[in-house]
Amino acid sequence: FNAGRGAALNREGIAELDAAIMDGATLRAGAVTGVTTVRNPIRLARRVMSDTRHILIAGPGAERFADATGLERVDNSWFVTPRRRKMLDDALLAEPRAAIHSEAFSARFGTVGAVARDTSGRLAAATSTGGLTAKLPGRVGDAPLIGAGTYADARVAISCTGTGEQFIRHGVARGIASRVELLDEPVDAAASHFIHSVLNPDDGGLIAIDAAGRVATPFSTIGMYRGIADSTGRRHVAIWKD
Ligand code: ASP
């Protein structure tokens, strides 16, 4: 998957990792961007949420904060796998043709996202990713931006995957929450609206859950790795459309 070890590499061969988490009941959120040595960026995002008054911490400051919280750091080479290195080499060779669009979907959309509802109907969302292969160093995607790739409130929780610039441009995660709130739209209709009517074909997908436990997993790519589990014993995993 495109997070932690095995994450997509930037054009200099470095894994620059983004992660965010949000608690819908309190609207507390934490995120990190451009971290290169923190073994579990999502744990660091959670510590930003729980231990600071900030929401998003970038780069070297985030790494120092990881030390202060006692989280494990590793050399950047720990994240780099031969498969990702080859994808980067292939992407750089394919330029100036659009490298990003020459990748197989499995290379592009292996973001790790989670949305959850507890037994009281409280919601949360989290997203962790290496971003896009061959991205410019310092590029920030949608995942760590609250309201773009990650969002949760009392009504709905959303985690997105795909071409981050598109999700940022259209404010997708917060936009879904607004449609649910202001139009009283069901979560699947609000989520499908963004994936199929606002974004372009092949831009990506998302997972969402509402306070009643209804789930939506729309995507416009040929596939999206996804799974659903609940306390009634429901277990479902899928990759393709059906
Ligand atoms: N959305 C992520 C980004 O643009 C890529 C991904 O889906 O992993 O950074």
Side-chain angles (χ1 to χ4, degrees):
F1 283 90
N2 182 9
R5 186 168 162 81
L9 303 175
N10 75 13
R11 61 190 305 111
E12 293 175 351
I14 305 293
E16 281 185 324
L17 309 171
D18 293 342
I21 188 166
M22 185 161 188
D23 172 6
T26 60
L27 299 184
R28 286 160 62 226
V32 293
T33 183
V35 298
T36 56
T37 65
V38 178
R39 179 168 174 156
N40 302 109
I42 194 65
R43 290 191 179 169
L44 186 59
R46 186 174 180 148
R47 298 301 286 264
V48 173
M49 178 174 77
S50 60
D51 296 5
T52 81
R53 60 194 168 85
H54 306 308
I55 289 183
L56 176 59
I57 303 184
E63 317 261 333
R64 287 201 294 278
F65 178 61
D67 286 342
T69 59
L71 285 176
E72 183 179 355
R73 289 175 65 181
V74 292
D75 190 84
N76 193 258
S77 60
W78 184 82
F79 296 108
V80 179
T81 61
R83 177 169 169 265
R84 287 295 181 188
R85 183 68 231 186
K86 180 168 184 332
M87 282 177 192
L88 173 61
D89 292 343
D90 291 348
L92 293 176
L93 272 177
E95 288 183 348
R97 286 186 294 125
I100 284 160
H101 290 286
S102 71
E103 292 178 72
F105 98 91
S106 63
R108 294 165 55 199
F109 304 128
T111 301
V112 178
V115 292
R117 173 193 180 276
D118 73 9
T119 50
S120 331
R122 287 177 304 208
L123 303 172
T127 316
S128 184
T129 183
L132 300 179
T133 297
K135 65 185 181 181
L136 287 174
R139 175 264 189 187
V140 178
D142 60 316
L145 301 183
I146 296 301
T150 307
Y151 190 75
D153 63 14
R155 295 177 186 80
V156 65
I158 303 119
S159 173
C160 303
T161 181
T163 306
E165 284 72 11
Q166 281 288 84
F167 287 80
I168 296 169
R169 184 173 286 124
H170 294 287
V172 169
R174 175 62 220 184
I176 292 168
S178 293
R179 290 184 74 92
V180 170
E181 178 183 356
L182 302 174
L183 303 180
D184 208 18
E185 208 168 50
V187 61
D188 57 344
S192 290
H193 171 77
F194 274 93
I195 293 300
H196 298 298
S197 302
V198 176
L199 300 183
N200 295 327
D202 213 33
D203 272 346
L206 61 88
I207 55 173
I209 189 168
D210 72 7
R214 286 176 295 244
V215 169
T217 61
F219 54 94
S220 61
T221 44
I222 55 167
M224 182 177 78
Y225 304 123
R226 59 200 187 278
I228 301 172
D230 70 21
S231 56
T232 68
R234 179 182 178 197
R235 299 284 185 273
H236 177 71
V237 293
I239 298 176
W240 315 110
K241 297 264 181 218
D242 292 310

